[in-house]
Structure formats: C-alpha cells, structure tokens
Amino acid sequence: MNQTVVSLRDRQYSVYFQNDMKHGENWIRHHVQRQILIITNAEVANLFLEKFVRTLPSTHVVETYYVPDGEQAKSLTHYEAIIKYLIENHYHRDTTLIGLGGGVIGDLTGFVAATYCRGVPYIHIPTTLLAQVDSSIGGKTGINHVLGKNMMGAVYQPTAVGIFYEVLLTLPERAYIAGLAEVVKYGLIQDAHFFEWIEQNTHKIRARDQVALMYLIQHCCEIKAGIVAQDEHDHGVRRLLNFGHTFGHALEAASEYSLYLHGEAVSLGMVMASRMSNELGYLSSSECLRIEQLLINLSLPVKLFEPISIRPLRDLMARDKKNSSTDPCFILLDGIGKAKLVYKVSSNLINKVVISCHESALVD
Ligand code: NAD
Ligand code: GLY
C-alpha cells in the first residue's frame, strides 16, 4: 500500500492510496475510536456506504448522518443540525467522525470535528477527484456564509486520509473534469514538469486511465503535503494554493453557489489570473495561451457561463480571506511553474480580465 506522510511541526498523518476500498480495513482500524459517525450524502452512500462500513471494526458503534447533496450542505444550518445530533445522541470525545464524500462533505465534517467538544478526531475518505488531490489534505475545514465562501472555519488536521481510486469510476463527468482544475493548478504554481506531463497525457486523463490517475493523484498529494508541511496555517507559501481562487470564490458566491462547480470557478479564475499576469508582464502571451489550451483540452471552462456584474464580484473579492486590507490579494504567475502574491491591482485591470472572459460582463 502506498502512502504519503503529511509532516507537521507537532504531528504527522498518512494519506493511504489503494485501488479497492475493501483494503482500507488494513489501516482504518488503527485510526478509529469506539464510537464512529460517518457523515455523507445519499448519492455517495448509495454507491459506497455498505462497502465502506465493512472496513470498520465490527466491535465499534457505527452510525451514519446524511446531509443534502451539494454546496448547500456547507452551511450553518447543517453544521448546527449535526452538532445537535451529536449532543442528543451522547457522542463524547471517544468519537471519530468520518467524512465519506467530496470536498463539501470533507470541509463540513472537518469543521464539525474541529469544534465539537473542542475537537474530536476525523478521517477523510474523499470520493471526488477534487477532494482526493486537494481538499482532503491539509486540514482546511469550513462552511460558507451568504456573504462569502468558507468564511467560517478552522485549520484542523485529519487523523488519516484514505484515497481509493475505484471510487472515481462512478464520478459524473462534470465533477471529474472540475477536479482537474486543481490538478492543473499544482503544475502552474510550482511544477512546470508536471504541467507538461498533464499536456502530454490529456487523453489518458480524460479516459480515467488507472495508471495515469494513480500517478497524477499521488503526485498532487505529495505537492500538497509538502506545501502544508512548510506552512500549515496559511501565512506564506500555502497561499499560493489559492491560485485562481480569488476570482473563483467570488464567482461561486456571486452566483449563490448554483452556477459553477468549485473546480469550474477555479478554472475561470486561473484564466483571469493568467491574463492578469500577462497584462502585468509576468507571464508571456504564449504561456498564457498554452495554459488556456490545456484547460480547453481538458474540457474545463475558459469563458463565463453567463454575463456577470463586476462590481459585486469586486466587493466579494475585497472580503476574501487572504486580504490584509480591502485590497484583494491575487496569486499571479511568474511563468508556468512559479507563483507569487500581488496585492495592488487596479480596478480597471480586474474589470479588463473579467470582461475578457465574457464580452457582455457589466462593469457596474
Ligand atoms: P462535491 O463534494 O459537491 O461533490 C461533487 C458531486 O459528486 C456531488 O454531487 C457528490 O454527491 C458527488 N459524488 C461524490 N463522490 C462521488 C462518486 N465517487 N461517484 C459519484 N458521485 C459522487 O464537490 P467537490 O468538487 O468534491 O468539492 C467542492 C468543495 O470542496 C467546495 O466546497 C470547495 O470549497 C471545497 N474545497 C476545499 C478545499 C480545502 O482545502 N478544504 C480545497 C478545494 C476545494
Ligand atoms: N486548497 C487550498 C489549501 O489547502 O490551502
């Protein structure tokens, strides 16, 4: 069984890579406490819950809590309902929470774990590509507020992460493609060779070729683990993982989390941030085109789905968590494979790159 270790200052945990979920029993039993609550949704549960429960020790108490599918589950309402369920059903600190699902389930489960009884252990079983390559590692947990994405949360690390490649076979095409945006992001911010590998293996990636996927997922997890090890609390290099996310999160919130999948918004955000990097002279036009061509080849969006008003988008960006004042912070590219933070960007340039992604975007 392959594993990647996330080494933090005061502790470490493993990300386990296996094809078949049934092999999870080899490691899961070492990480669970007496009382287990699996948090999932009906879609994921129908596919994997029965098989997953068989990996847990039969001596333990195992129950399941269901939240609705989709981004709406990352809300105060559902967070509070889970806390109420835990209290009413006498869950104590000898509880392990398990998030079985995509990034939404993972972020929500992690935030409940971070706050219930001032913290109980949790395990991630990410079932989307996006969650396997990104959200399940690094302990960023949280829920949304109508005024902004992930505005309530905590950095709280899981006890272990279990990646099973087989779960990706049932993932709807749109969700699978959306996850590829975070994959491309890793190449862009720190690994030009990996970016090139993605370019050369687009067909295999699109076809979900198992060998290509195993390499791709493990490589992304290693990059992420390395970045988190250097900067667990997001004060420095970890911020670069937000390439494309300043625009992306604002696009998601502006459309009330209903128009774009997270990865689609990140793809558009990466196009805007690349064009901004080009306008500021950090990224050549040919590199900018190369990035967009790869996104197109992977069927990721490079054009907004609908016209948008830019002023509300700029207001949302001004509230982004990365900002130190109301100046939105952008992660820009200094060439493919190298990223940097830039704080002072004119409103005109923000308008220009958004308009470049939809000719009917409205400035006010
Ligand atoms: P998601 O969790 O909504 O899952 C996408 C869809 O796929 C859902 O309908 C889900 O039910 C379904 N699904 C999940 N696994 C499946 C499977 N194996 N087969 C069939 N259907 C399956 O979306 P996502 O893209 O995984 O996650 C997006 C969320 O992740 C966003 O809220 C984003 O903010 C968050 N995120 C967090 C971090 C972090 O570091 N914490 C990083 C990136 C993204
Ligand atoms: N997905 C961004 C981070 O983990 O920092």
Side-chain angles (χ1 to χ4, degrees), residues 41-44 47-48 69-71 74 101-107 124 126-132 134-142 144 149-150 166-172 175 178-179 182 185 224 238 245 249 252 261-263 266:
N41 65 36
E43 272 60 32
V44 175
L47 293 163
F48 309 117
D69 194 12
E71 190 73 27
K74 269 177 64 172
V104 165
I105 295 285
D107 283 11
H124 271 312
T127 61
T128 61
L129 178 64
L130 182 140
Q132 293 192 343
D134 190 352
S135 65
S136 60
I137 299 171
K140 275 196 184 171
T141 72
N144 302 324
K149 172 105 177 155
N150 295 335
E166 66 164 348
V167 300
L168 296 182
L169 297 177
T170 55
L171 197 60
E182 303 281 11
K185 175 190 79 178
K224 177 127 190 202
R238 185 165 183 176
H245 287 60
H249 283 163
E252 283 183 89
L261 297 181
H262 176 71
V266 169

Side-chain angles (χ1 to χ4, degrees), residues 183-198 215 219-220 223 336-339:
V183 173
V184 173
K185 175 190 79 178
Y186 288 116
L188 289 174
I189 62 168
Q190 86 158 47
D191 191 340
H193 291 298
F194 183 52
F195 182 87
E196 217 174 296
W197 180 88
I198 304 171
Y215 168 73
H219 191 72
C220 291
I223 295 179
I336 289 174
K338 193 155 176 252

